């Protein structure tokens, strides 16, 4: 729905790669190189926390702060994709299976960004615990009560020359 709002005439191809996919990043690079107006978006959830994810003891109190500590190095390295950073991230994901919900998707995405020489920046970072609040500032508040479950999300924009001022798709704090 959001893609249709921002890109109403876009043709959308959705891919959901799994662990067995090989060579997809090469196909994507070739596609992007031959379709100059194409935009490549990837969505990857980070930590899924709680009893229904079989990891109710994974995070310590305060859980939302603990997830930020666990995710910060991955996010930092993902902003400048290159071979050493991508290897570092792959090692993080192997050591901590709870860190990323779609590790193969992230691996493919970062390989594409590295080969294209793109850099990124975070445009939004939150988790589902407060995400339904009408007051958007509450969406980014760390709960002082114990949190039983949430999913963590990060949005990043990549390109050759990413501006540092706000983009139309950045968070809106009203």
């Amino acid at each position: 729905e959001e893609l249709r709002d921002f890109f109403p005439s876009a043709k959308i191809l959705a891919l959901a790669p799994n662990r067995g996919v090989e060579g997809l990043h090469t196909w994507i690079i070739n596609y992007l190189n031959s379709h100059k107006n194409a935009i490549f978006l990837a969505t990857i959830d980070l930590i899924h926390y709680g009893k229904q994810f079989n990891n109710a003891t994974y995070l310590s109190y305060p859980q939302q702060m603990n997830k930020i500590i666990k995710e910060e190095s991955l996010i930092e390295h993902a902003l400048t994709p290159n071979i050493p950073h991508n290897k570092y991230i792959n090692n993080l994901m192997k050591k901590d299976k709870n860190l990323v919900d779609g590790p193969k998707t992230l691996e493919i995405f970062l390989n594409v960004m590295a080969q294209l020489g793109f850099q990124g920046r975070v445009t939004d970072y939150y988790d589902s615990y407060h995400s339904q609040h009408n007051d958007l500032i509450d969406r980014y508040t760390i709960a002082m009560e114990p949190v039983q479950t949430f999913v963590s999300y990060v949005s990043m924009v990549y390109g050759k020359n990413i501006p540092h001022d706000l983009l139309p798709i950045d968070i809106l704090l009203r």
Side-chain angles (χ1 to χ4, degrees):
E1 189 176 306
E2 290 170 343
L3 288 177
R4 291 278 177 226
D5 289 343
F6 281 106
F7 310 104
S9 62
K11 297 175 186 169
I12 298 172
L13 170 64
L15 305 171
N18 60 28
R19 281 176 257 171
V21 173
E22 296 299 327
L24 182 57
H25 73 282
T26 303
W27 181 86
I28 292 169
I29 290 168
N30 291 337
Y31 184 87
L32 292 173
N33 286 334
S34 64
H35 296 81
K36 295 298 180 189
N37 291 326
I39 298 172
F40 179 49
L41 305 169
T43 177
I44 299 104
D45 296 348
L46 298 180
I47 292 172
H48 285 57
Y49 171 70
K51 193 184 306 183
Q52 71 267 42
F53 303 114
N54 298 315
N55 64 358
T57 61
Y58 173 64
L59 297 174
S60 58
Y61 174 85
Q63 290 83 359
Q64 290 172 298
M65 178 61 76
N66 192 232
K67 72 104 181 168
I68 291 170
I69 292 166
K70 289 181 179 286
E71 294 170 345
E72 69 183 341
S73 185
L74 179 139
I75 293 169
E76 178 186 354
H77 285 80
L79 294 176
T80 52
N82 56 46
I83 292 171
H85 282 190
N86 292 0
K87 285 183 180 178
Y88 176 84
I89 290 169
N90 284 334
N91 286 334
L92 280 179
M93 293 187 298
K94 285 177 187 168
K95 288 179 192 171
D96 186 348
K97 301 290 186 196
N98 290 301
L99 192 57
V100 176
D101 187 48
K104 188 62 175 184
T105 302
L106 182 58
E107 177 188 329
I108 291 167
F109 180 76
L110 292 177
N111 284 337
V112 170
M113 296 300 100
Q115 282 197 263
L116 294 174
F118 286 5
Q119 302 295 304
R121 74 181 185 111
V122 173
T123 58
D124 204 358
Y125 180 51
Y126 65 99
D127 63 63
S128 61
Y129 185 71
H130 282 135
S131 67
Q132 302 307 313
H133 283 248
N134 288 336
D135 181 357
L136 289 179
I137 203 75
D138 286 340
R139 178 179 181 156
Y140 306 99
T141 303
I142 295 172
M144 296 317 302
E145 69 273 5
V147 176
Q148 302 303 314
T149 187
F150 61 77
V151 175
S152 181
Y153 307 101
V154 64
S155 299
M156 297 180 273
V157 174
Y158 288 79
K160 287 244 184 241
N161 299 302
I162 295 295
H164 293 287
D165 52 344
L166 289 178
L167 299 171
I169 62 171
D170 284 342
I171 58 175
L172 299 173
L173 299 176
R174 297 180 208 171

